[in-house]
Amino acid sequence: MFVLKFGGTSVGTTESLHKVQQIVKKHSEKGLTQTVVVSALGGITNKLEQCATEAENGHETYERVLDSIEERHIQLCNELIPVSLRSNTITKVKLLLNDLEDICRGVFLIRELSPRSSDQILSFGERLSSTIIHDFFISTGLNVNLVDPRTVIKTDAQFGNAIVDTELTYSNLQKELENPAPITLFPGFLASSNIGNHITTLGRGGSDYTASLIAAAVNAERLQIWTDVSGMMTANPKLVSLAHPIKHLSYEEAMELSHFGAKVIYPPTIQPVLDKNIPVEIKNTFAAEEEGTLITKQGDEDSPLIKGISCIDDVALCTLSGSGMVAVPNFSHRLFASLSRESINVIMITQASSEHTITVGIAKSDAKRAQVTIEAEFENEIRLRKVNPLTVETGLCIVALVGSKMKQQVGVSANLFETLSHNGINVKAIAQGSTELNISVVVDSKHIRKALNSLHESFFLSDIRKFYLYMIGVGNVGSAFLEQIEAQNEFLTKAFKVSINVAGLANSKKMLFSEKPIDLKSWETQLNSGGKKMDVDAFIDEMIAMNMRNSIFIDCTSSDDIPTLYDKILRNSISVVTPNKVACSSDFDFYLGLKKTATAFQSKFLFETNVGAGLPVISTVSDLLKSGDRIYKIQAVLSGTLNFLFNTYDGTQKFSDVVRQAKAEGYTEPDPRLDLSGVDVVRKILILARESGYKMELDDIQNKTFVPDECMNTNSIEEFYDKLDEYDHVFQKLYNDARNEGKRIKYVASFDNRKASTGLEAFANNHPFYELEGKDNIVLFYTKRYSEQPLVVKGAGAGAAVTASGIFADVMRIISA
């Protein structure tokens, strides 16, 4: 015999019930004897609860809820049952509905809802659905016998969550199914008490339990649980988009997953079939051909280390602590006894080996009652200060890794904690049984999605690791960066199993966010048409609120204000990548503070493009220091703009025309005065000195400007160009003096003997700077190891594409970390 159980979503609509009928029919055509267990129509049990509560509270609105329940079932009869048989079905349905109405009316009149009355009301969901399904099956030619479970499944009188008398129930079921019809139909969830034969229920999800009891009683060949997903999943698919069905589980693994929030099966379901070693299949009513999940005693020897990642939300931690607990017996007993008296279920337990604290995890809804009963139990110890008042922390969830093979593998816990730490998720409590079947951690509920997704990526390595970018500044460099991501993403996915997704973009006017990747082929249209008004603080707050795992913030602006928010971003474990030099060239303590914050909160603060655009300048400094070298002297041409100007200017044209050309080709800032002031170069040599291990401030660097003050102190860019023309003789003289000596002019940044300066210098043809062309940068590092011949880094030091590639390289460093 096969036992099939269909849940509320499977029997909720006309369409789904036709799928159920087809599944049952195919089993019959194979010659299989079946017992089919059905739940109430999807959502009806909740409506019955609502109806009972409103009646108890004296609200006549319960009648409207009853009307909606009747309308739903009558409509289903009209859609499923042929006209010739329909009136008989509707009559039976209305008789049940009349009984339901009478009971609710009684509750309304006396304003009291006892557990026994509640069970009676809730039982109507399955009684109604099974009546309709029985007649529907009959109308399609199936040979079906409807059994009332109240006559065979016997329990105690603990209404609401009755305990089954398994010995008597198994005996009754065996007699009932000794010579079964081809198809036997049971409503799930309900039973009756041994004394008085009153209706009892088996708890929410009890239809699974009904099916399991039947399977165990008759030693069924297989128990199939049909639901709306294709088996038990590696994680909740509503929270983890990459979750996939688990092919094979052991009984123990399935019980752990179901206990920790996997809603596909009800936790007590497994025990009866476990006792009889009966295989369980979890199948999808809406995709019957898919494999689903098989649950057996041993599981699959070739399965992954971790079978699934599950969670329980809305958890509270109650911690009892105090020096008076140490080495004193009976404390734990009294704690758990006090909770037991209030029927408060303990989800997890953790205790320090010092015996100074003991922490229990319970449902948030039980937290206030738990605090009252525990503090009452330890009132005397609290008064004498032997025990501290109970601390209760809410807004938490439990995340559990489940897999029977964890005990055979070292490093699982390390991977768990490293993954959570990398994403800025603090662990409040930890629990692991000696069987090592699961590892449970308590984290803030606000991190539940991030925790599940990051752990899923970490432990199910076949999946793609996703990273989420948020970028302010989509000008020349920003847009070039987006083009590079769009062009490279497919390769990164195939070669490295990495997917880079842009989740937020902003320019000076608009900002756009999306949990689904922003289409990089049309990002500009999306930003302009669908974006909200740009506000930097709102952008950062929204990015933090989205709480996406593996998040990276990119500042592609020259703003003085945005860097002040880096600390807030890093504290939320969001890495920062930026070509903006403000943060690293501002106050030394601020610069150092950002680095310390990044380390403390497991984030990264990378700024390779602060110096040399895409050249590996800062990373070279880092590598030298990590390997034990020491930098004593730096000589560098660090402005691609200024190098372009002096390589292009030959005295035959106006200097202002060369500046205009540089601006047109994208080598200058929107305001070229920023480049010609030399301040940008000052910032760069300051950053290199700091990265080399020296404490310096911006004011410590001597900046020898070459542009007359009259040119710099102008009110507009056009006025600036006019003044350059007026003072063109100054630039002519600089050029001619150098040419007459056979030299070339370069704007140089120097660091030597803890002193730094910037300014124009002329170099002969025997110096590396002489042949520096176009917009190239060059850096000479003189170190303990490179004392005679410097280490040279040379290449393009300006331009949107190369700067964007430097940003891309920093992003990849974070991904590869």
Side-chain angles (χ1 to χ4, degrees):
M1 177 182 286
F2 270 48
V3 178
L4 287 69
K5 180 265 174 178
F6 292 94
T9 53
S10 297
V11 299
T13 65
T14 302
E15 180 186 1
S16 64
L17 277 168
H18 277 291
K19 292 183 181 295
V20 169
Q21 190 270 345
Q22 286 298 310
I23 292 167
V24 174
K25 182 181 177 182
K26 285 182 180 178
H27 279 64
S28 291
E29 290 171 348
K30 293 177 182 177
L32 297 173
T33 303
Q34 304 168 72
T35 295
V36 177
V37 179
V38 294
S39 297
L41 307 187
I44 289 298
T45 302
N46 289 336
K47 281 187 174 292
L48 289 168
E49 281 187 334
Q50 179 189 356
C51 185
T53 302
E54 292 187 10
E56 180 188 23
N57 293 330
H59 299 151
E60 292 186 350
T61 50
Y62 83 90
E63 294 177 342
R64 290 203 293 270
V65 181
L66 280 176
D67 290 341
S68 69
I69 292 172
E70 178 175 357
E71 181 182 349
R72 174 112 178 256
H73 287 88
I74 297 299
Q75 180 184 352
L76 195 62
C77 290
N78 290 331
E79 293 173 351
L80 281 175
I81 312 299
V83 174
S84 59
L85 303 174
R86 189 179 301 161
S87 61
N88 181 50
T89 305
I90 290 177
T91 298
K92 289 187 286 185
V93 167
K94 288 206 169 185
L95 285 172
L96 286 169
L97 290 167
N98 289 339
D99 289 345
L100 173 61
E101 185 178 4
D102 289 344
I103 297 169
C104 290
R105 182 67 178 170
V107 172
F108 173 76
L109 291 173
I110 65 173
R111 304 291 197 272
E112 182 182 339
L113 179 66
S114 67
R116 177 176 157 186
S117 298
S118 178
D119 269 5
Q120 277 197 297
I121 291 171
L122 294 180
S123 73
F124 280 94
E126 276 72 14
R127 292 161 68 187
L128 285 164
S129 66
S130 60
T131 298
I132 296 171
I133 292 167
H134 171 264
D135 288 6
F136 169 53
F137 281 3
I138 292 289
S139 73
T140 62
L142 296 176
N143 187 352
V144 186
N145 176 40
L146 177 61
V147 175
D148 185 344
R150 292 175 293 179
T151 64
V152 288
I153 300 179
K154 292 297 180 176
T155 71
D156 63 8
Q158 188 175 314
F159 299 102
N161 195 11
I163 297 175
V164 174
D165 182 340
T166 52
E167 185 176 349
L168 178 57
T169 295
Y170 285 177
S171 176
N172 291 340
L173 284 167
Q174 287 162 5
K175 291 175 184 176
E176 178 67 40
L177 298 171
E178 188 174 0
N179 295 300
I183 303 167
T184 303
L185 181 65
F186 275 80
F189 180 56
L190 61 143
S192 67
S193 61
N194 279 327
I195 300 173
N197 287 321
H198 300 297
I199 291 177
T200 57
T201 61
L202 305 180
R204 293 301 292 266
S207 292
D208 286 353
Y209 197 19
T210 302
S212 185
L213 288 167
I214 296 169
V218 300
N219 287 309
E221 183 180 342
R222 186 156 294 196
L223 168 61
Q224 293 184 334
I225 296 176
W226 292 83
T227 180
D228 58 353
V229 292
S230 297
M232 296 188 75
M233 309 291 280
T234 50
N236 185 343
K238 294 179 181 177
L239 297 174
V240 180
S241 61
L242 292 175
H244 55 267
I246 306 168
K247 291 184 178 181
H248 201 167
L249 286 169
S250 69
Y251 291 132
E252 290 82 3
E253 289 168 334
M255 289 181 75
E256 290 287 341
L257 285 170
S258 62
H259 174 71
F260 282 99
K263 303 298 184 183
V264 176
I265 58 174
Y266 180 56
T269 298
I270 299 297
Q271 193 60 49
V273 293
L274 186 153
D275 293 338
K276 296 293 184 74
N277 198 19
I278 297 169
V280 180
E281 280 186 292
I282 312 296
K283 301 278 285 181
N284 190 343
T285 304
F286 306 94
E289 71 286 350
E290 292 186 2
E291 187 175 0
T293 298
L294 175 64
I295 304 171
T296 60
K297 183 177 181 179
Q298 295 299 330
D300 183 3
E301 291 299 322
D302 298 324
S303 63
L305 180 68
I306 301 298
K307 288 293 186 67
I309 304 169
S310 201
C311 65
I312 303 175
D313 204 359
D314 294 325
V315 170
L317 283 185
C318 299
T319 300
L320 191 66
S321 63
S323 58
M325 296 170 56
V326 178
V328 177
N330 209 34
F331 262 94
S332 297
H333 167 73
R334 290 171 61 193
L335 171 65
F336 294 116
S338 66
L339 293 171
S340 177
R341 286 194 297 271
E342 292 294 321
S343 299
I344 296 172
N345 182 48
V346 175
I347 303 170
M348 68 173 283
I349 308 161
T350 181
Q351 183 175 21
S353 59
S354 65
E355 301 182 50
H356 185 267
T357 63
I358 183 169
T359 299
V360 295
I362 61 174
K364 178 184 174 184
S365 57
D366 292 331
K368 288 185 178 179
R369 288 193 299 125
Q371 185 166 17
V372 171
T373 190
I374 293 172
E375 290 188 343
E377 175 67 33
F378 295 97
E379 180 180 6
N380 187 52
E381 286 86 353
I382 292 172
R383 181 173 55 80
L384 296 175
R385 297 189 178 181
K386 292 182 177 180
V387 172
N388 300 318
L390 188 77
T391 60
V392 179
E393 190 173 1
T394 57
L396 305 173
C397 67
I398 298 175
V399 176
L401 299 184
V402 175
S404 59
K405 294 173 70 176
M406 286 194 291
K407 57 190 172 186
Q408 303 169 12
Q409 180 68 43
V410 298
V412 177
S413 297
N415 192 0
L416 164 68
F417 296 125
E418 182 181 357
T419 301
L420 294 177
S421 174
H422 180 73
N423 282 277
I425 301 171
N426 185 42
V427 175
K428 306 280 187 179
I430 309 157
Q432 181 176 21
S434 59
T435 61
E436 298 186 60
L437 195 59
N438 88 56
I439 305 172
S440 302
V441 295
V442 180
V443 301
D444 282 331
S445 288
K446 66 181 180 180
H447 293 313
I448 188 169
R449 183 184 294 270
K450 185 195 285 187
L452 289 173
N453 278 277
S454 56
L455 289 172
H456 196 271
E457 287 181 356
S458 179
F459 284 100
F460 295 95
L461 298 177
S462 59
D463 294 329
I464 304 300
R465 295 172 61 215
K466 291 187 177 182
F467 288 79
Y468 295 87
L469 307 186
Y470 299 83
M471 185 167 72
I472 299 180
V474 288
N476 290 338
V477 173
S479 58
F481 174 64
L482 294 176
E483 286 179 14
Q484 291 175 11
I485 292 177
E486 199 275 328
Q488 197 70 0
N489 227 346
E490 184 178 350
F491 167 76
L492 292 174
T493 302
K494 289 181 179 178
F496 300 102
K497 294 190 179 298
V498 165
S499 174
I500 300 177
N501 304 289
V502 177
L505 287 175
N507 56 25
S508 59
K509 297 179 180 178
K510 293 285 189 75
M511 59 182 183
L512 176 69
F513 295 94
S514 176
E515 288 195 3
K516 294 182 178 179
I518 295 172
D519 186 352
L520 297 185
K521 289 185 173 66
S522 59
W523 66 265
E524 196 166 3
T525 301
Q526 294 176 67
L527 178 61
N528 292 330
S529 62
K532 299 182 290 187
K533 183 179 179 182
M534 173 56 176
D535 177 271
V536 173
D537 291 315
F539 185 98
I540 303 304
D541 289 343
E542 178 70 17
M543 174 179 66
I544 293 170
M546 287 178 71
N547 203 23
M548 303 294 280
R549 66 198 182 281
N550 303 326
S551 292
I552 302 172
F553 172 72
I554 301 170
D555 175 14
C556 250
T557 73
S558 57
S559 166
D560 291 335
D561 298 326
I562 295 176
T564 63
L565 300 173
Y566 290 176
D567 184 76
K568 178 179 179 180
I569 296 167
L570 293 168
R571 285 179 183 276
N572 282 276
S573 298
I574 299 173
S575 294
V576 174
V577 171
T578 182
N580 187 332
K581 291 174 280 292
V582 171
C584 292
S585 60
S586 59
D587 181 77
F588 181 83
D589 290 337
F590 178 75
Y591 152 83
L592 192 62
L594 291 177
K595 292 198 151 199
K596 289 180 177 179
T597 299
T599 301
F601 289 88
Q602 296 292 311
S603 47
K604 301 291 183 184
F605 175 42
L606 300 183
F607 42 90
E608 181 69 75
T609 49
N610 274 200
V611 180
L615 293 177
V617 177
I618 291 176
S619 57
T620 298
V621 173
S622 177
D623 291 342
L624 288 170
L625 297 184
K626 287 176 182 176
S627 66
D629 206 348
R630 179 76 174 170
I631 299 171
Y632 297 113
K633 178 180 176 181
I634 302 171
Q635 257 194 318
V637 175
L638 297 174
S639 172
T641 303
L642 293 175
N643 197 45
F644 175 85
L645 292 178
F646 287 106
N647 281 335
T648 305
Y649 182 64
D650 60 5
T652 63
Q653 74 273 59
K654 293 181 179 179
F655 189 72
S656 64
D657 290 338
V658 179
V659 176
R660 289 178 190 271
Q661 180 185 346
K663 185 174 185 296
E665 295 185 20
Y667 297 144
T668 75
E669 296 290 341
D671 185 345
R673 286 174 292 188
L674 296 175
D675 297 283
L676 271 68
S677 69
V679 172
D680 188 61
V681 179
V682 171
R683 291 185 184 277
K684 291 177 180 179
I685 192 63
L686 173 64
I687 292 167
L688 283 183
R690 287 176 170 179
E691 287 296 291
S692 299
Y694 298 94
K695 182 177 180 179
M696 295 190 73
E697 300 289 358
L698 201 63
D699 293 341
D700 296 335
I701 299 172
Q702 183 182 9
N703 182 20
K704 306 168 188 174
T705 59
F706 67 94
V707 179
D709 291 342
E710 291 82 358
C711 299
M712 300 301 294
N713 298 328
T714 48
N715 297 319
S716 68
I717 295 175
E718 283 305 316
E719 185 182 349
F720 170 65
Y721 287 140
D722 291 340
K723 282 293 182 181
L724 287 180
D725 289 344
E726 185 178 334
Y727 284 86
D728 195 61
H729 61 279
V730 173
F731 308 110
Q732 285 274 0
K733 184 176 187 306
L734 288 171
Y735 174 78
N736 289 331
D737 288 348
R739 185 187 60 179
N740 292 338
E741 295 179 7
K743 296 179 179 180
R744 292 179 179 174
I745 297 174
K746 305 294 176 186
Y747 196 87
V748 178
S750 299
F751 171 80
D752 190 8
N753 195 25
R754 297 179 180 270
K755 293 182 180 180
S757 63
T758 63
L760 288 181
E761 294 184 37
F763 294 92
N765 60 10
N766 61 347
H767 195 279
F769 290 178
Y770 183 85
E771 296 293 345
L772 197 64
E773 298 178 350
K775 58 184 182 299
D776 285 358
N777 280 192
I778 186 170
V779 184
L780 310 182
F781 290 109
Y782 294 87
T783 75
K784 182 171 64 177
R785 294 173 186 153
Y786 294 91
S787 56
E788 296 182 6
Q789 290 293 326
L791 174 64
V792 180
V793 179
K794 178 182 177 182
V802 292
T803 305
S805 69
I807 295 170
F808 205 155
D810 272 348
V811 169
M812 292 307 300
R813 287 186 185 97
I814 293 171
I815 290 172
S816 302

